[in-house]
């Protein structure tokens, strides 16, 4: 987590998907390609309960996006992240990410 949060593209927003699935969806892969170099994408399985607790996630799927960096691993730093509330559809998520 530390490497992902602080080292690569330190000023770029982070997009984090909490999911029940074990593999990456085609939709999420497409979004990560579309935003390559502008945002850093990550995933966490529901089986990583510590990650879900750290980010306050209780429902799956949950998509969170951070403000642009620099990023911190401090416990309260995640409160500034925005939660996507819409349908898990490509166009809607892409619009959300472009606005945040």
């Amino acid at each position: 987590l530390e490497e992902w949060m602080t080292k690569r593209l330190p000023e770029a927003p982070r997009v984090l998907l909490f999911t029940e699935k074990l593999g990456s969806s085609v939709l999420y892969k497409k979004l990560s390609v579309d935003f390559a170099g502008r945002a850093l994408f990550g995933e966490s399985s529901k089986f990583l309960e510590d990650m879900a607790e750290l980010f306050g996630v209780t429902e799956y799927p949950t998509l969170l996006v951070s403000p642009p960096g620099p990023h911190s691993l401090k416990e309260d730093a995640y409160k500034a992240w925005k939660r996507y509330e819409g349908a898990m559809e490509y166009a809607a998520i892409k619009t959300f990410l472009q606005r945040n």
Side-chain angles (χ1 to χ4, degrees):
L1 180 62
E2 181 178 358
E3 173 90 16
W4 182 76
M5 285 290 291
T6 61
K7 305 287 189 229
R8 296 185 49 217
L9 298 172
E11 297 297 321
R14 292 340 192 212
V15 181
L16 184 55
L17 175 64
F18 288 85
T19 181
E20 293 178 310
K21 298 179 181 180
L22 294 177
S24 299
S25 70
V26 172
L27 179 147
Y28 201 62
K29 288 178 185 179
K30 172 105 172 88
L31 288 165
S32 70
V33 168
D34 289 349
F35 287 88
R38 297 183 287 156
L40 201 57
F41 284 68
E43 282 183 89
S44 180
S45 162
K46 83 177 228 174
F47 303 106
L48 297 174
E49 294 172 1
D50 291 348
M51 282 278 289
E53 186 177 329
L54 180 66
F55 284 87
V57 171
T58 58
E59 297 176 5
Y60 299 87
T62 295
L63 183 71
L64 302 174
V65 62
S66 75
H71 303 283
S72 169
L73 292 173
K74 293 180 183 175
E75 190 170 320
D76 61 346
Y78 307 112
K79 292 181 181 179
W81 290 48
K82 293 183 181 177
R83 182 180 303 254
Y84 172 71
E85 301 289 347
M88 286 296 186
E89 298 174 351
Y90 173 79
I93 296 172
K94 184 176 180 180
T95 299
F96 171 78
L97 294 176
Q98 288 170 330
R99 292 181 180 164
N100 290 290

